């Protein structure tokens, strides 16, 4: 396991401690690409055991997280689903090329292979400042939620990103999605 002593990462002053983590709400629609992915990889979309409090991450754990984020960003060539498959919204593990959710799926899989719980590595749908949809991987920790992004090699606290957060996988069930209740103010706060 990667958990024991705390590795402190800098994140912006965001007011109350509750702003360090995304506040999730009601169950919402599952992205169609994830639905199709779950039909192919049903073991990836089940209820999660032991999905309690977010863990503390050791210094070694942070090294693993950063290494996986950089390695996947470097090894996968960015290509759209239309370029790769001739259609939109194909979520799959990338071989040599993929789009944002493919990077996320591979990072999530690699982190789980290294001992992270499915309850703490969650596919998240965001909106970029230009309005385009995007997927990132959210890492739940006792210090707040952090983002692994194919557009950024640095792992950042979610409040340090320019995104508006829409929904993510539920920490209790990888096949369910929940709204992010405090995600709409992030874009404005990040631009100040």
């Amino acid at each position: 396991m990667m958990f024991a002593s705390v590795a402190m990462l800098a994140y912006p002053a965001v007011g109350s401690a509750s702003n360090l983590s995304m506040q999730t709400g009601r169950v919402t629609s599952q992205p169609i690409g994830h639905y199709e992915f779950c039909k192919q990889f049903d073991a990836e979309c089940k209820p999660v055991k032991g999905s309690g409090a977010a863990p503390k991450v050791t210094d070694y754990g942070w090294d693993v997280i950063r290494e996986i984020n950089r390695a996947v960003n470097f090894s996968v060539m960015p290509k759209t689903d239309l370029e790769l498959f001739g259609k939109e919204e194909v979520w799959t593990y990338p071989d040599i090329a993929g789009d944002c959710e493919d990077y996320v799926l591979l990072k999530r899989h690699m982190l789980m292979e290294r001992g992270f719980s499915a309850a703490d590595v969650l596919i998240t749908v965001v909106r970029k400042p230009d309005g385009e949809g995007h997927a990132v991987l959210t890492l739940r920790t006792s210090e707040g939620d952090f983002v692994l992004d194919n557009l950024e090699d640095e792992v950042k606290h979610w409040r340090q990103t320019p995104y508006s957060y829409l929904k993510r996988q539920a920490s209790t069930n990888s096949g369910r999605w929940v709204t992010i209740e405090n995600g709409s103010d992030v874009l404005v706060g990040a631009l100040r």
Side-chain angles (χ1 to χ4, degrees), residues 14 29 32 100 179:
V14 290
S29 61
I32 187 66
C100 58
T179 59

Side-chain angles (χ1 to χ4, degrees), residues 11-23 54 141-146 157-159 182:
Y11 43 81
V14 290
S16 70
S18 66
N19 284 333
L20 298 178
S21 299
M22 295 175 200
Q23 302 302 307
T141 79
S142 59
E143 287 75 47
D145 292 339
F146 290 82
H157 186 267
W158 77 292
R159 292 281 185 186
N182 60 342

Side-chain angles (χ1 to χ4, degrees), residues 13 21 74 76 90 109 118 120 125-126 144 158 161 188:
S21 299
F74 178 77
V76 177
V90 178
H109 179 77
D120 301 318
V125 175
V126 302
W158 77 292
T161 69
V188 174

Side-chain angles (χ1 to χ4, degrees), residues 48-53 117 119:
V48 178
K49 293 179 182 160
S51 57
S117 169

Side-chain angles (χ1 to χ4, degrees), residues 1-173:
M1 280 291 189
M2 307 295 143
F3 321 116
S5 67
V6 177
M8 296 304 287
L9 293 182
Y11 43 81
V14 290
S16 70
S18 66
N19 284 333
L20 298 178
S21 299
M22 295 175 200
Q23 302 302 307
T24 57
R26 62 180 168 69
V27 172
T28 190
S29 61
Q30 179 182 25
I32 187 66
H34 190 252
Y35 172 79
E36 294 295 330
F37 174 82
C38 289
K39 286 184 2 186
Q40 186 176 2
F41 300 98
D42 65 330
E44 297 279 342
C45 303
K46 299 282 186 200
V48 178
K49 293 179 182 160
S51 57
K56 293 183 179 183
V57 179
T58 64
D59 289 338
Y60 175 73
W62 284 114
D63 289 344
V64 168
I65 293 160
R66 290 184 196 105
E67 170 193 324
I68 287 173
N69 192 57
R70 283 190 303 265
V72 172
N73 287 356
F74 178 77
S75 65
V76 177
M77 183 184 345
K79 293 234 184 220
T80 67
D81 290 331
L82 203 51
E83 293 172 304
L84 290 170
F85 305 106
K87 61 183 181 175
E88 297 291 334
E89 290 306 305
V90 178
W91 291 33
T92 190
Y93 293 113
D95 289 324
I96 58 169
D99 64 359
C100 58
E101 70 272 353
D102 304 331
Y103 285 83
V104 168
L105 289 167
L106 183 56
K107 289 175 188 182
R108 182 174 187 273
H109 179 77
M110 291 172 72
L111 285 168
M112 288 169 45
E113 281 185 330
R114 299 291 291 269
F116 289 85
S117 169
D120 301 318
V121 287
L122 306 168
I123 304 168
T124 306
V125 175
V126 302
R127 190 160 311 285
K128 297 188 328 188
D130 65 5
E132 182 182 357
H134 184 51
V136 297
L137 186 64
T138 297
L139 172 70
R140 289 183 345 125
T141 79
S142 59
E143 287 75 47
D145 292 339
F146 290 82
V147 171
L148 288 75
D149 188 352
N150 68 300
L151 302 177
E152 175 69 54
D153 287 337
E154 182 183 345
V155 175
K156 293 185 175 182
H157 186 267
W158 77 292
R159 292 281 185 186
Q160 290 180 320
T161 69
Y163 303 132
S164 179
Y165 287 78
L166 306 176
K167 59 185 170 180
R168 75 177 189 194
Q169 288 175 298
S171 61
T172 57
N173 187 327

